Amino acid sequence: MALTKEIMGCSVLERSSFVSTSKVILSRTRQAKPKLGFNPALIQQRRVSLRKGLGGPAAVAAISEDLVKAVPEKVVKFKVRAVLTVRQKNKEDLKETIAKHLDAFTDRIGRNVVLQLVSTQLDPKTKAPKKSSEAVLRDWSKNTQVKAEKVHYTAEFTVDSNFGIPGAITVTNKHQNEFFLESMTIEGFACGPVHFPCNSWVQSKKDHPGKRIFFSNKPYMPSETPPGLKAMREEELKYLRGDGKGERKLSDRIYDFDLYNDLGNPDKGIDFARPTLGGSKIPFPRRCRTGRAPTYTDINAESRVEKPLPMYVPRDERFEESKRNTFSAGRLKAVLHNLIPSLKASLSANNHDFNGFSDIDSLYKEGLFLKVGLQDELLKKLPLPKVVQESSQGFLKYDTPKILSKDRFAWLRDDEFARQAIAGVNPGNIEKLTVFPPKSNLDPEVYGPLESALKEEHILGHLNGMSVQQAIDENKLFIVDYHDAYLPFLDRINALDGRKTYATRTIYFLTPRGTLKPIAIELSLPPQGPSSRSKRVVTPPVDATSNWMWQLAKAHVNSNDAGVHQLVNHWLRTHACMEPFILAAHRQMSAMHPIFKLLDPHMRYTLEINALARQSLISADGVIESCFTPGRYCMEMSAAAYKSFWRFDKEDLPSDLIRRGVAVPDSTQPHGLRLLIEDYPYASDGLLIWSALENWVRTYVNYYYPTPAVVCNDQELQAWYAESVNVGHADVRHADWWPKLASPEDLTSILTKIIWLSSAQHASLNFGQYPYGGFVPNRPPLMRRLIPFEGDPEYTNFVADPQKYYLSALPSLLQATKFMAVVDTLSTHSPDEEYLGERQQPSVWTGDAEIVEAFYEFSAEIRQVEKEIDRRNNDPSLRNRCGAGVLPYELLAPSSGPGVTCRGVPNSISI
């Protein structure tokens, strides 16, 4: 505690001899801290003690008034100093460089950066906030020449002795260029340094005439806002909401909602038109409004901005430079693939499929350019960036995916196929089998007979002597069921060129060693008639032919899995469903609000990555449509899951595990749950992180919200949650499953869900994409052939050369490499990543020392979680994460270096 206070510059309480009684209160409340975890009751006790001892919420302001009354001297003026940290750009375009030199010149003649301090108190005469004199940022022209990432500037203010405590600073930028203001610290007040974390772009006055407002790090509930800051608090929120009119400029900071009506481009033709997502026809969450004009062809569709032009997101949501460079380098690889098909066609008309597994291996050894016959001489004739030409020998040489690192043939084994259902990149779809044969929830009036083709004889021989019912009763049978997700779309998908798929179900048996074994795969097509072969069951092989049938069936399962992973679990349940909560947070909660401060690191970059996804990933003919089996119906599948499956109240890890039947409530267990698959790496590691998050959030919430009344009376908090539900998720706002927000426990639950989804859940789904999917046969994103029946024309080809048939069913060479380039980028950590347990300016992000202390304890608990995960990965009794050729499960290990690491839990959905 003492260390924390020293770092934070202390408070008036400990620096003033007029408040010695408060020192006694503080010393009495300092008790031995628990080794790990938090004591919310103790934190709240400390806060209440401080409030009682100091006479009300605005303790600092109250003391300042007492000081003034106790010393009835003549008001005098004194000087205080501001130190500003400005982050410089590493690279500037010509326009920015010219403007920079112009700013350096005009700064000397009065076109400066002007600051003014605003007190937490009102002037009793004017009834307006007390303000300092205006101050100019010093030495701008000199410091712009400094070659450093961060540059410090100073300014000097004159204030009256009865000024009180500064609660806000206004900044006016009279330069041409914007600049990134990281933080400000005011020195010279009796209370010690006052910190202003900013992390924001300050626009030129010519673009945004108003003054920028920055508040100090002291959190205030709306009802506790000091009189001097009330009007500014409301003014800033009003600006951030905007008026819902007009097209947004890239320099704006306005947050608003809109439908997904910009994924298609009907002006390019009917093939590029896509339905609007959001509304009564196709329910979907809302996205950030840009206000672009409608298309010429369809007034309800918004016109598109194509890369490399940027999509609008509020200015402070854009990637910072190191993040942008990391993302752009990866995207350059993907862009090059747009050149390759036409080049390739002119070189060879026969090289569309992989001819053998060695062709795939060569992508990691030789690179794509050499693979398709693009030698250096030809490359030099292409209009490619110089950096590409210089490194063309290996520029599109792919890193060997982690799935091949310990055992090149692991992906072929049934135990690895099953292991990835609980420890791979999509470990959240497996469910306990409760009824056999499994049943569909689709409407038979619409989709025809839906009875499963699975029968007891298909699986009885794999149950270690148990009956089917006994295996169900003893929690030995599990299922990954994609039947209802795919069947409504199969006719349309299979009519697409080069797309063939099934709706799959896979049955797993839990062995006595704690591993899973696939024992049957059901492949369904829409029924075409009473005698049609619309369903088939494939079981583990007994000979060479059935072995290739089984491998093809597993490939179709993995292709189904890849689609649900990307469209439902990844895009919908993390990216899309979190965006409304982020938009509403900026619109309804002040930067001073304690809950905004808690959520802030978990919202970083999400709006930007979602906008980039709308531009090139989930758009018509974008990467997702090109690379995944559902093609142009990808986003409609995502929307169908939102309508039929998504429930916010079930999105926390414990509820999700219970809903899927893979865990049961058990108060004797550490997390109140008992896993039915004991060695379930995603679940067991996830519960460690969930528990640490929940403890941290509960501590934080209880500090500010001691009673339900405080929660209910917090207007900004209630407005945030109401807008998130009623506007951001408007299409499901009347659902009876939305949690209420009426108590500290309700708030703790809601916030922990949001932080879990933004951090650990997203990490578990994202950063293994290239390590597991970069070897396409392990997780083919699309399939191009069905499995032939005996007697079909293709059956002869299949039997004559099963490997060739198998490879021809996988994505083509160019489809595969395009997919690999994209998931390589999406799996990459940038150098500026912030991981769970980390924050920018960790000691001064909030002015409440007790909370800073609690955050450090949370960080320590996260480090302990990482040590426990490392221990588990070296425990040979845990066969799903340790053993010969078995990959450790590190997707929920909190820390990581930059690059593709298959580990690391960033604070937010940042890629």
Side-chain angles (χ1 to χ4, degrees), residues 278-349:
S280 57
K281 287 186 179 178
I282 307 180
F284 208 67
R286 299 302 187 259
R287 49 97 174 173
C288 183
R289 180 185 177 276
T290 65
R292 296 192 303 271
T295 60
Y296 296 112
T297 313
D298 181 355
I299 196 170
N300 295 314
E302 188 173 270
S303 57
R304 288 186 52 76
V305 173
E306 302 295 353
K307 58 188 180 185
L309 296 175
M311 293 267 277
Y312 170 77
V313 292
R315 181 63 183 99
D316 290 340
E317 305 301 322
R318 298 272 296 279
F319 287 165
E320 291 174 21
E321 201 166 5
S322 63
K323 175 78 171 180
R324 189 167 65 248
N325 291 342
T326 301
F327 189 81
S328 298
R331 195 161 71 170
L332 178 57
K333 285 186 183 181
V335 167
L336 288 173
H337 286 276
N338 296 333
L339 296 172
I340 292 169
S342 55
L343 293 167
K344 162 109 175 23
S346 66
L347 293 165
S348 166

Side-chain angles (χ1 to χ4, degrees), residues 751-816:
L751 293 173
T752 310
K753 280 183 179 67
I754 290 170
I755 296 172
W756 161 260
L757 290 166
S758 300
S759 57
Q761 179 67 1
H762 177 260
S764 74
L765 296 165
N766 187 77
F767 295 103
Q769 289 188 85
Y770 186 79
Y772 281 97
F775 182 67
V776 168
N778 182 56
R779 284 180 65 76
L782 65 82
M783 294 294 284
R784 296 185 293 152
R785 293 195 180 199
L786 300 175
I787 304 175
F789 282 98
E790 195 169 349
D792 289 348
E794 286 193 319
Y795 189 79
T796 305
N797 296 333
F798 165 70
V799 173
D801 194 341
Q803 176 178 293
K804 183 178 181 181
Y805 188 92
Y806 179 89
L807 291 169
S808 71
L810 298 181
S812 69
L813 169 66
L814 297 173
Q815 287 172 325

Side-chain angles (χ1 to χ4, degrees), residues 67-195:
L67 284 169
V68 173
K69 290 174 185 174
V71 187
E73 293 178 5
K74 181 177 148 183
V75 173
V76 296
K77 296 185 180 296
F78 65 98
K79 293 187 183 298
V80 295
R81 189 175 80 130
V83 179
L84 287 75
T85 302
V86 172
R87 190 183 304 157
Q88 298 205 115
K89 292 181 178 179
N90 291 323
K91 295 179 182 177
E92 296 172 333
D93 60 29
L94 181 61
K95 182 180 176 184
E96 288 173 328
T97 302
I98 293 170
K100 179 178 175 179
H101 290 296
L102 182 63
D103 288 341
F105 172 74
T106 58
D107 189 82
R108 300 189 194 118
I109 59 173
R111 288 180 58 180
N112 336 76
V113 176
V114 181
L115 293 82
Q116 189 171 35
L117 295 181
V118 182
S119 172
T120 57
Q121 301 175 9
L122 293 176
D123 185 317
K125 293 179 181 177
T126 65
K127 304 301 181 187
K130 296 178 182 177
K131 294 180 180 177
S132 72
S133 62
E134 289 189 339
V136 171
L137 218 55
R138 293 175 172 175
D139 299 327
W140 183 278
S141 57
K142 186 193 300 182
N143 287 352
T144 51
Q145 306 305 315
V146 175
K147 300 296 182 186
E149 182 188 358
K150 297 178 183 180
V151 179
H152 300 291
Y153 295 91
T154 60
E156 196 173 77
F157 303 92
T158 301
V159 296
D160 293 341
S161 54
N162 63 358
F163 181 81
I165 304 298
I169 301 178
T170 62
V171 182
T172 304
N173 176 13
K174 297 181 182 179
H175 292 164
Q176 297 291 310
N177 272 348
E178 63 180 4
F179 65 90
F180 188 84
L181 182 55
E182 188 172 280
S183 65
M184 294 184 279
T185 302
I186 308 300
E187 301 167 341
F189 284 94
C191 64
V194 182
H195 299 283

Side-chain angles (χ1 to χ4, degrees), residues 591-617:
M592 287 190 280
H593 198 291
I595 299 305
F596 185 92
K597 287 181 179 291
L598 174 69
L599 289 177
D600 189 36
H602 306 290
M603 303 188 289
R604 186 183 189 220
Y605 291 155
T606 303
L607 297 185
E608 168 82 337
I609 193 62
N610 285 5
L612 289 167
R614 297 202 319 275
Q615 186 173 43
S616 57
L617 293 181

Side-chain angles (χ1 to χ4, degrees), residues 5 11-14 16 18-26 29 46-66 218 703 848:
K5 288 184 180 292
S11 68
V12 172
L13 306 181
E14 294 188 293
S16 172
F18 288 89
V19 286
S20 57
T21 53
S22 66
K23 284 189 177 182
V24 176
I25 294 165
L26 279 169
T29 58
R46 291 175 179 175
R47 186 172 196 245
V48 171
S49 299
L50 282 168
R51 284 175 175 263
K52 285 181 179 175
L54 300 173
V60 174
I63 289 163
S64 300
E65 288 169 14
D66 290 344
K218 173 66 180 171
Y703 183 81
D848 287 333

Side-chain angles (χ1 to χ4, degrees), residues 355-363 371:
N355 294 319
F357 289 104
S358 59
D359 281 4
I360 304 175
D361 290 340
S362 68
L363 293 173
K371 180 75 200 109

